[in-house]
């Protein structure tokens, strides 16, 4: 239940309404979150917490797991939208547990050339750029450079700025259907993005790992080394 603690925002009225709903519909979950939410976990703790909680969550029934994911989704949407960090948290939860509770169907690769998913790659790169630091001019230059580095023509930066997280999620799903040799090129461009400021913080590292898991592409050793070398 520790993942819920990372999504709490006590000053948000909508969050409070959801918490009250959890209390009435799932008292055990409510008690668990109340007992641990003040332990000082922060966003950078999310990957270790997901891994730590996975073994306990496997004790749920399939129906309870579906309810749990629904609660997580409601909490993420409680402030009117889902940010990249929240998406990564949910994705890591799913990658750890979906196969335990559900019949996961292996997807057949559809896209042999990166040009076939150029728009989607641009959306993913742009979303990661937007989440980073720097001026808008710097971000725009970084976006086009990262797109060029993996061989795609970038969607206009102005359009990227307006792309919701739902579009990012759909793009990830389509990229997951590409052939394996394409994916490392995309991951390399994403590493270029998060290294642009000369450092890689733990949230950026964990978000990249969540993206890699979502597109079913283990990070190559040389990219893992870059992440480690740039880690704060």
């Amino acid at each position: 239940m520790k993942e819920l603690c990372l999504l709490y925002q006590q000053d948000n009225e909508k969050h409070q309404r959801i918490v009250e709903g959890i209390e009435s519909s799932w008292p055990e979950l409510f008690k668990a979150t109340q007992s641990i939410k003040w332990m000082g976990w922060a966003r950078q703790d999310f990957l270790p917490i997901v891994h730590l909680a996975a073994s306990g969550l496997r004790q749920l029934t399939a129906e309870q797991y579906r309810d749990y994911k629904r609660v997580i989704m409601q909490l993420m949407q409680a402030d009117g939208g889902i940010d990249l960090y929240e998406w990564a948290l949910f994705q890591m939860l799913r990658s750890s547990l979906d196969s335990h509770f559900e019949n996961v169907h292996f997807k057949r690769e559809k896209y042999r050339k990166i040009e076939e998913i150029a728009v989607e790659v641009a959306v993913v790169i742009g979303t990661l750029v937007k989440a980073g630091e720097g001026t808008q001019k710097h971000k725009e230059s970084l976006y086009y450079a990262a797109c060029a580095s993996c061989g795609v023509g970038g969607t206009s930066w102005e359009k990227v700025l307006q792309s919701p997280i739902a579009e990012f999620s759909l793009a990830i799903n389509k990229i997951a259907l590409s052939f394996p040799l394409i994916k490392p090129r995309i991951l390399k461009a994403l590493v270029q993005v998060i290294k642009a400021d000369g450092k890689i913080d733990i949230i950026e590292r964990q978000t990249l790992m969540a993206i890699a898991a979502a597109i079913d592409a283990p990070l190559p050793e040389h990219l893992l080394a870059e992440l480690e070398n740039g880690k704060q």
Side-chain angles (χ1 to χ4, degrees), residues 5-48:
C5 304
L6 298 175
L7 296 173
Y8 269 104
Q9 295 178 14
Q10 292 300 310
D11 58 349
N12 187 294
E13 292 182 6
K14 192 171 182 181
H15 271 234
Q16 190 57 40
R17 291 197 298 272
I18 291 176
V19 171
E20 291 169 357
I22 296 171
E23 182 179 16
S24 62
S25 61
W26 199 346
E28 297 86 356
L29 177 60
F30 176 78
K31 290 178 182 177
T33 58
Q34 290 297 298
S35 67
I36 62 178
K37 70 182 180 184
W38 297 111
M39 293 182 66
W41 286 308
R43 287 191 165 205
Q44 60 264 31
D45 300 320
F46 80 78
L47 188 56

Side-chain angles (χ1 to χ4, degrees), residues 21 37 42 55-56 68 90 112 129 154 168 177 183 193 199:
K37 70 182 180 184
S55 58
Y68 186 70
F90 190 64
R112 293 180 178 274
V129 171
F168 168 82
L177 298 177
K183 296 172 182 177
V193 169
K199 62 184 185 300

Side-chain angles (χ1 to χ4, degrees), residues 60-99:
L60 299 175
T61 66
E63 183 178 359
Q64 287 173 326
Y65 176 62
R66 286 193 294 271
D67 288 343
Y68 186 70
K69 288 200 298 183
R70 176 179 53 80
V71 169
I72 291 283
M73 182 60 70
Q74 287 177 324
L75 281 171
M76 291 193 302
Q77 295 174 332
D79 58 359
I82 298 174
D83 65 24
L84 184 58
Y85 152 77
E86 291 168 337
W87 174 89
L89 171 64
F90 190 64
Q91 178 57 44
M92 293 307 293
L93 176 72
R94 291 191 59 194
S95 66
S96 297
L97 294 167
D98 274 11
S99 60

Side-chain angles (χ1 to χ4, degrees), residues 31-215:
K31 290 178 182 177
T33 58
Q34 290 297 298
S35 67
I36 62 178
K37 70 182 180 184
W38 297 111
M39 293 182 66
W41 286 308
R43 287 191 165 205
Q44 60 264 31
D45 300 320
F46 80 78
L47 188 56
I49 286 176
V50 169
H51 288 161
L52 181 64
S55 58
L57 290 171
R58 289 190 179 95
Q59 306 306 311
L60 299 175
T61 66
E63 183 178 359
Q64 287 173 326
Y65 176 62
R66 286 193 294 271
D67 288 343
Y68 186 70
K69 288 200 298 183
R70 176 179 53 80
V71 169
I72 291 283
M73 182 60 70
Q74 287 177 324
L75 281 171
M76 291 193 302
Q77 295 174 332
D79 58 359
I82 298 174
D83 65 24
L84 184 58
Y85 152 77
E86 291 168 337
W87 174 89
L89 171 64
F90 190 64
Q91 178 57 44
M92 293 307 293
L93 176 72
R94 291 191 59 194
S95 66
S96 297
L97 294 167
D98 274 11
S99 60
H100 180 77
F101 291 102
E102 302 169 4
N103 292 323
V104 177
H105 301 287
F106 291 99
K107 300 173 182 177
R108 294 184 60 185
E109 294 93 348
K110 292 176 61 177
Y111 307 107
R112 293 180 178 274
K113 298 180 179 180
I114 199 167
E115 291 80 8
E116 297 176 275
I117 52 171
V119 172
E120 288 73 23
V121 173
V123 167
V124 171
I125 290 173
T127 302
L128 205 59
V129 171
K130 284 193 299 181
E133 299 178 353
T135 65
Q136 287 302 313
K137 184 176 182 179
H138 167 74
K139 289 182 177 182
E140 182 178 2
S141 298
L142 176 59
Y143 164 69
Y144 285 119
C147 286
S149 73
C150 61
V152 301
T155 304
S156 72
W157 175 243
E158 289 74 19
K159 186 174 181 180
V160 167
L161 289 174
Q162 299 171 6
S163 298
I165 198 69
E167 189 172 341
F168 168 82
S169 188
L170 290 173
I172 287 287
N173 291 339
K174 188 169 180 179
I175 291 171
L177 298 177
S178 63
F179 274 70
L181 290 178
I182 294 176
K183 296 172 182 177
R185 294 169 60 186
I186 300 168
L187 293 174
K188 185 175 181 180
L190 297 179
V191 170
Q192 176 182 334
V193 169
I194 64 175
K195 284 180 59 180
D197 59 359
K199 62 184 185 300
I200 300 174
D201 68 36
I202 193 167
I203 293 177
E204 291 171 331
R205 183 175 184 272
Q206 292 172 350
T207 299
L208 184 63
M209 293 176 70
I211 292 172
I215 66 173

